[in-house]
Amino acid sequence: MKSEIITVVACLTVLVFPSFRADSVSSKEVELVRKHVKRLKKEEGAIKLVGGREEYEGNVEILHNGKWGAICDDEWDAAEADVICRQLGYSEGVGKPTHNSHFGPARRQYWMDNVYCDGSEDEITSCRFDGWGSHDCEVNEAAGVICFQELNKTEVEKPQMRDNVMVRLPRYVRVRLRGGRVPSEGRVELKTKRGNWEIICGDGWSLLEANVVCRSLSLGYASDAMQTNYFGGNLTAASFSGVTCTGSEDSLRQCQHDIGNKGICVGQEVAAVYCVSTMSDLAVDAGELMRTAHLQDTQMFFLQCAMEENCLASHAYKIQKESSDWHLETRRLLRFTATILNIGTADFRPYLPKSMWEWHMCHMHYHSMEVFATFDVYDWNGVKVAEGHKASFCLEDNQCLPGVEKRYACANYGDQGISVNCSDIYKHNVDCQWVDVTDIEPGVYTLKVAVNPEFKIGEMSFENNAAVCTFYYTTMFGAVTNCTLTRP
């Protein structure tokens, strides 16, 4: 054994230092080690799909440093799905993204989060992301894909799979919580026409559905929507699958479920909730957004700190990679102030514990949330043509109503959050408080600014979390008007 180790070390030494002489190492042994090193390099970044019923679907896992890991679904959309399916050898442009651990909870650590592709990449590792192992995700946030298969050059067919048939839940169902330590928590059960109490599959269960449950039981608001077996419950062929709500319904009877896959629970976990009597409620100040919106042309030299947080359009990073004079290039930014007021009855607190916040050297403070707000520009066909990529945030009380004391501040590793009747204000002159519109043509667009867009943190209502506005863009100026509040 010892001699084998010495041989391998000697072989590696020959590979790294060609001038090194090792008479005891044969050329055949060196070639074997060379092939082994090449194979290891080839495996880095390899991907596979897990949890699906067929080979063309599943949660995505990626190989890094010899270990498989999951990918988080933050900012996961069709562009990323296309890259995954193309990397796996399927037809270009026929990948459907899945979210919320659609094919079961993440089985391993997360390797990638906030992945952003422009859709042209050949491998997912060519896309931008937060760095290997950097994430704020739980097991129910795994990203997945369904890849469509090519039959010939002109015909693309969707894989054969059990169809989703979404229908409204029956009018006779009743709701109750069971298995909790207190009456305000537990697994969700629905009473059927036969009088049986059936559980709900945890697949896709979110705060939107949980809020409806708490409201219908007069238990307030959902603080947590869990996919778990902690509260017990047995899955049966009669278990409800794919329960989906908008979050504004008064009863689950107004929501839908997937009758085509009734009793099929991919993750084998059940839906559960934790209800509380007080809750935060964020609202976007649309008036301030319209008043402060303006265009600014800025050299990339002055945007280097922001570029570390992926705050520019993908074309800017291509310029940086291909041109030695990239820092002299100019980007056109649509800047605006985002004022977020907490009009609820409880403080808005970060999703992650303080120990998991990330320090950012450029801005000299900790970021407590990776995706607190999104800034997107759409054309009149509803196609996203530009986005802000503001991926990291610190939350603090910048301005409070008279008589309300500020409690949260980012400086000096302070506690972060937004107090009741206080606002977190990201002014237009702050890094990343913009959308890079350099690459779009003049015209009339829709600007959407949304906070808590992934519904990760409970609120009284999500109906005022986004401002949707008209964006008039010419070669000389940009104006934002006609904003209305809506859900993300």
Side-chain angles (χ1 to χ4, degrees):
M1 181 66 179
K2 183 177 180 181
S3 63
E4 292 176 358
I5 295 175
I6 293 174
T7 299
V8 172
V9 173
C11 289
L12 290 174
T13 305
V14 172
L15 290 174
V16 179
F17 304 104
S19 60
F20 176 81
R21 297 189 62 184
D23 297 334
S24 61
V25 180
S26 68
S27 59
K28 183 178 181 180
E29 290 171 326
V30 171
E31 183 61 26
L32 286 173
V33 174
R34 181 179 284 111
K35 289 182 178 179
H36 180 67
V37 171
K38 185 178 180 181
R39 181 176 63 83
L40 290 177
K41 288 183 178 179
K42 185 177 181 181
E43 288 180 350
E44 173 72 13
I47 58 173
K48 64 180 179 180
L49 304 182
V50 299
R53 293 188 288 264
E54 303 291 345
E55 63 178 10
Y56 46 69
E57 64 180 13
N59 292 335
V60 182
E61 289 192 353
I62 187 166
L63 189 66
H64 174 61
N65 282 343
K67 296 181 180 180
W68 289 100
I71 298 179
C72 187
D73 61 8
D74 294 338
E75 301 193 50
W76 188 256
D77 57 28
E80 290 74 44
D82 289 348
V83 174
I84 289 292
C85 293
R86 183 162 57 250
Q87 186 174 345
L88 289 170
Y90 293 100
S91 305
E92 182 173 353
V94 286
K96 176 183 177 182
T98 65
H99 305 82
N100 299 318
S101 295
H102 181 77
F103 296 100
R107 306 185 303 181
R108 298 180 174 90
Q109 64 180 319
Y110 282 102
W111 272 137
M112 303 176 77
D113 189 15
N114 288 311
V115 181
Y116 175 71
C117 308
D118 61 24
S120 64
E121 297 86 353
D122 293 324
E123 297 184 357
I124 198 68
T125 52
S126 299
C127 304
R128 286 182 281 141
F129 61 101
D130 285 351
W132 293 109
S134 177
H135 71 90
D136 65 344
C137 306
E138 295 190 350
V139 295
N140 61 347
E141 298 177 72
V145 297
I146 300 173
C147 297
F148 298 168
Q149 301 186 58
E150 185 179 270
L151 295 180
N152 51 51
K153 293 183 179 179
T154 59
E155 183 180 8
V156 175
E157 179 182 55
K158 186 176 179 178
Q160 294 297 316
M161 58 184 296
R162 193 166 176 176
D163 292 334
N164 289 47
V165 182
M166 301 300 294
V167 299
R168 179 172 284 196
L169 282 160
R171 295 176 58 185
Y172 52 76
V173 298
R174 297 292 183 268
V175 182
R176 72 179 185 183
L177 302 184
R178 284 295 182 269
R181 298 158 295 186
V182 294
S184 58
E185 71 173 10
R187 66 179 183 272
V188 183
E189 294 186 346
L190 300 182
K191 190 175 183 180
T192 66
K193 192 172 185 178
R194 295 183 177 181
N196 301 323
W197 287 94
E198 299 291 344
I199 62 173
I200 298 175
C201 296
D203 305 336
W205 185 253
S206 73
L207 282 170
L208 298 177
E209 294 76 36
N211 244 353
V212 177
V213 171
C214 294
R215 184 183 303 118
S216 66
L217 294 174
S218 300
L219 293 175
Y221 314 95
S223 174
D224 198 0
M226 297 159 280
Q227 301 175 24
T228 179
N229 293 317
Y230 179 80
F231 300 111
N234 296 316
L235 295 168
T236 71
S239 297
F240 291 85
S241 298
V243 174
T244 304
C245 307
T246 66
S248 60
E249 296 89 348
D250 294 321
S251 168
L252 279 183
R253 293 193 295 270
Q254 299 170 338
C255 301
Q256 294 187 319
H257 73 118
D258 183 5
I259 195 171
N261 287 293
K262 192 167 186 178
I264 298 177
C265 302
V266 177
Q268 298 301 305
E269 293 182 319
V270 305
V273 301
Y274 179 68
C275 304
V276 295
S277 58
T278 61
M279 181 57 64
S280 61
D281 190 9
L282 302 184
V284 178
D285 188 337
E288 183 72 4
L289 192 163
M290 290 185 285
R291 285 192 295 271
T292 58
H294 66 281
L295 297 179
Q296 181 185 67
D297 292 338
T298 307
Q299 276 189 333
M300 288 173 63
F301 176 82
F302 300 102
L303 301 174
Q304 295 180 65
C305 182
M307 291 182 73
E308 291 183 15
E309 294 190 42
N310 298 330
C311 294
L312 295 183
S314 58
H315 188 247
Y317 296 89
K318 184 177 181 181
I319 294 174
Q320 184 186 39
K321 184 178 180 180
E322 297 177 352
S323 172
S324 59
D325 295 326
W326 63 268
H327 56 286
L328 301 177
E329 296 287 337
T330 298
R331 305 301 295 179
R332 173 158 290 185
L333 310 175
L334 171 63
R335 288 182 172 270
F336 52 87
T337 295
T339 299
I340 313 302
L341 174 63
N342 183 1
I343 60 175
T345 55
D347 295 350
F348 183 91
R349 299 302 308 276
Y351 181 75
L352 289 175
K354 196 171 185 178
S355 60
M356 295 182 66
W357 296 354
E358 292 188 8
W359 173 257
H360 197 274
M361 283 298 296
C362 279
H363 299 146
M364 299 299 290
H365 60 232
Y366 283 89
H367 290 162
S368 61
M369 290 188 68
E370 289 187 355
V371 183
F372 172 68
T374 55
F375 314 141
D376 300 316
V377 175
Y378 300 87
D379 64 17
W380 282 109
N381 293 318
V383 177
K384 187 188 298 184
V385 294
E387 51 188 331
H389 299 306
K390 188 174 176 61
S392 296
F393 294 79
C394 73
L395 305 176
E396 63 182 0
D397 294 331
N398 295 121
Q399 179 178 297
C400 298
L401 296 180
V404 179
E405 183 179 352
K406 297 179 181 179
R407 298 177 56 200
Y408 301 107
C410 296
N412 301 318
Y413 199 33
D415 288 335
Q416 294 190 24
I418 308 176
S419 299
V420 176
N421 292 327
C422 291
S423 297
D424 185 7
I425 303 175
Y426 271 84
K427 292 188 176 180
H428 59 81
N429 58 353
V430 174
D431 260 356
C432 300
Q433 191 56 45
W434 63 62
V435 179
D436 183 351
V437 296
T438 310
D439 303 317
I440 69 174
E441 296 294 328
V444 182
Y445 298 91
T446 297
L447 170 68
K448 184 176 183 179
V449 176
V451 297
N452 196 13
E454 298 174 338
F455 311 113
K456 277 191 173 182
I457 301 176
E459 295 189 41
M460 297 173 67
S461 170
F462 296 105
E463 301 303 317
N464 50 9
N465 282 46
V468 176
C469 318
T470 302
F471 170 41
Y472 294 98
Y473 175 48
T474 74
T475 56
M476 300 297 294
F477 77 98
V480 175
T481 63
N482 304 321
C483 289
T484 59
L485 294 184
T486 182
R487 62 188 293 107

